[in-house]
Amino acid sequence: SALSMRDISARGAGDVDVLVDPKSVPRAHRMLVANGFTPRTSLVPSEKAIWKFWSFRDRELGYTRASVDIDLHWIVPRDTKLSASTAAQLARSQRVTIANGSVETLSPGDALNACAVHIYVDFCHSLRLLVDLAYLSNLPGITLPEDVPGPGRQLVADVLEFARHVFGPSVFPTIPGVPKSSEKSVARLIRMWEKNSAKPLAEASSHDYSWDYVARLKHELFYNSSFTQVARVLSLILFDIPKYSKGIRPAGLITALLLRLRQLATGTVPHRQTLKNSQNRKP
């Protein structure tokens, strides 16, 4: 927001995101619980080896207290096929002034790339991200960095063309370094927008059929996602962490696997249930 010459308060938010070192997550969890915050899942971070698996699989843990929501993050995800290396992005980062201090932030080109990736990963559901994309793409002299990988460059091109469909062609200028968009891919993004733009992120998806996990894997692979991304999705398919219940023993690997098996046996897999409920609500 500061980089695009808007006031930092112009970009609304529904929660507070806190980034900590992965080794500090168990301590941060204990601090939040001690201050009255309730975790949304029964996964309780600990120093044990099992936490290494969960921290690879997931990117955040949510906590709530009254009307305050906090998301605890321990990784800033970057798909190696979609964005430049972290070292390269840090080397060309910019410092912006916020209130009485300053912070390092992405260069305009890297921010544009990150915004496009975010729009796609979140199934094109967010109008707010499209507004961010509009501000960024209109910054004077903005270019896409040369070291953004081919799939990432193509994703930026497709997302910009999709955004022109939503806002109109005059809002998003031609940006140096961005290739020609793919008609097929842009049509796919438009379908996701039409399907998801009126839904919360929890109900957004990339498909119109029932086997959600296969669709999610295809979604990850569409722009040549890395093996790490695929492994994460496969772990999400295999294990389901139960919701938090006070006084119930925290979930472990066996508990999560047994819960998934029970869901498959009874036809109550959460994503399939969400899809079924949304279909039942159709007029």
Side-chain angles (χ1 to χ4, degrees), residues 165-193:
H165 170 83
V166 177
F167 282 95
S170 62
V171 178
F172 295 88
T174 300
I175 298 173
V178 175
K180 183 180 178 180
S181 61
S182 162
E183 290 186 11
K184 181 179 179 181
S185 298
V186 172
R188 181 171 184 260
L189 298 176
I190 292 172
R191 287 197 301 271
M192 281 198 288
W193 165 258

Side-chain angles (χ1 to χ4, degrees), residues 178-239:
V178 175
K180 183 180 178 180
S181 61
S182 162
E183 290 186 11
K184 181 179 179 181
S185 298
V186 172
R188 181 171 184 260
L189 298 176
I190 292 172
R191 287 197 301 271
M192 281 198 288
W193 165 258
E194 292 173 345
K195 180 178 186 294
N196 297 318
S197 57
K199 297 179 179 180
L201 178 57
E203 295 183 17
S205 63
S206 61
H207 68 292
D208 294 309
Y209 53 89
S210 61
W211 190 228
D212 181 84
Y213 291 112
V214 173
R216 182 164 183 174
L217 187 57
K218 289 182 177 180
H219 185 69
E220 293 284 349
L221 289 170
F222 196 82
Y223 286 98
N224 296 323
S225 288
S226 66
F227 173 79
T228 300
Q229 294 292 95
V230 175
R232 284 188 62 255
V233 175
L234 289 175
S235 69
L236 288 167
I237 293 173
L238 292 172
F239 303 96

Side-chain angles (χ1 to χ4, degrees), residues 86-245:
T86 302
Q89 293 187 60
L90 288 173
R92 55 177 175 257
S93 62
Q94 294 188 205
R95 186 166 288 277
V96 295
T97 300
I98 298 177
N100 296 322
S102 63
V103 296
E104 295 264 351
T105 190
L106 295 174
S107 68
D110 286 321
L112 180 75
N113 175 226
C115 187
V117 172
H118 199 171
I119 288 169
Y120 176 74
V121 170
D122 282 355
F123 307 109
C124 301
H125 97 292
S126 175
L127 178 62
R128 185 178 74 177
L129 287 172
L130 288 175
V131 173
D132 288 345
L133 190 76
Y135 275 105
L136 287 166
S137 62
N138 280 277
L139 287 177
I142 189 170
T143 61
L144 194 61
E146 293 183 359
D147 55 353
V148 173
R153 307 179 84 81
Q154 188 61 55
L155 174 56
V156 172
D158 296 343
V159 168
L160 283 170
E161 191 60 34
F162 148 67
R164 293 184 183 104
H165 170 83
V166 177
F167 282 95
S170 62
V171 178
F172 295 88
T174 300
I175 298 173
V178 175
K180 183 180 178 180
S181 61
S182 162
E183 290 186 11
K184 181 179 179 181
S185 298
V186 172
R188 181 171 184 260
L189 298 176
I190 292 172
R191 287 197 301 271
M192 281 198 288
W193 165 258
E194 292 173 345
K195 180 178 186 294
N196 297 318
S197 57
K199 297 179 179 180
L201 178 57
E203 295 183 17
S205 63
S206 61
H207 68 292
D208 294 309
Y209 53 89
S210 61
W211 190 228
D212 181 84
Y213 291 112
V214 173
R216 182 164 183 174
L217 187 57
K218 289 182 177 180
H219 185 69
E220 293 284 349
L221 289 170
F222 196 82
Y223 286 98
N224 296 323
S225 288
S226 66
F227 173 79
T228 300
Q229 294 292 95
V230 175
R232 284 188 62 255
V233 175
L234 289 175
S235 69
L236 288 167
I237 293 173
L238 292 172
F239 303 96
D240 186 33
I241 304 171
K243 291 184 178 180
Y244 174 80
S245 297

